[in-house]
Amino acid sequence: MKAAVAFFAMVGTSPLLRWAQRRGAHAFEVGDPVRVHARHSPLAGQCGKIAEISQEDPYGPYLVQFSSGFQFRYRGNELAPTRNSDSAVMNR
């Protein structure tokens, strides 16, 4: 039982867990690294970072900037959190 408690205490520091905990108000924050996981979305499978959040935008609240400089708006269900990588945190 002590091992399980230690394991969960270690998991509590995970960036993915912190993301899941704050998912109630906003799924992401500006600067968070994300991966486009919706198959039919532009740049599917690519990683970028959240550059801006605008809940009133009709195209999607999350403006994602990619390492090439390309920016595109997505909805929360089209994005997944990722771990920090060099390309995702560039110019952060």
Side-chain angles (χ1 to χ4, degrees), residues 9-84:
M10 183 179 67
V11 171
T13 61
S14 164
L16 293 178
L17 183 60
R18 286 195 308 269
W19 172 82
Q21 289 171 343
R22 69 172 190 256
R23 188 170 171 89
H26 294 289
F28 302 101
E29 292 180 1
V30 173
D32 284 351
V34 294
R35 178 181 300 273
V36 179
H37 73 82
R39 195 180 326 176
H40 301 291
S41 296
L43 298 174
Q46 298 295 314
C47 291
K49 67 176 182 173
I50 302 292
E52 176 186 303
I53 299 173
S54 176
Q55 296 296 333
E56 292 80 31
D57 195 296
Y59 296 108
Y62 303 107
L63 180 66
V64 177
Q65 182 175 18
F66 298 92
S67 60
S68 65
F70 182 74
Q71 295 181 343
F72 197 82
R73 288 205 171 270
Y74 295 94
R75 292 184 173 86
N77 63 344
E78 297 175 303
L79 301 173
T82 63
R83 293 182 181 232
N84 289 343

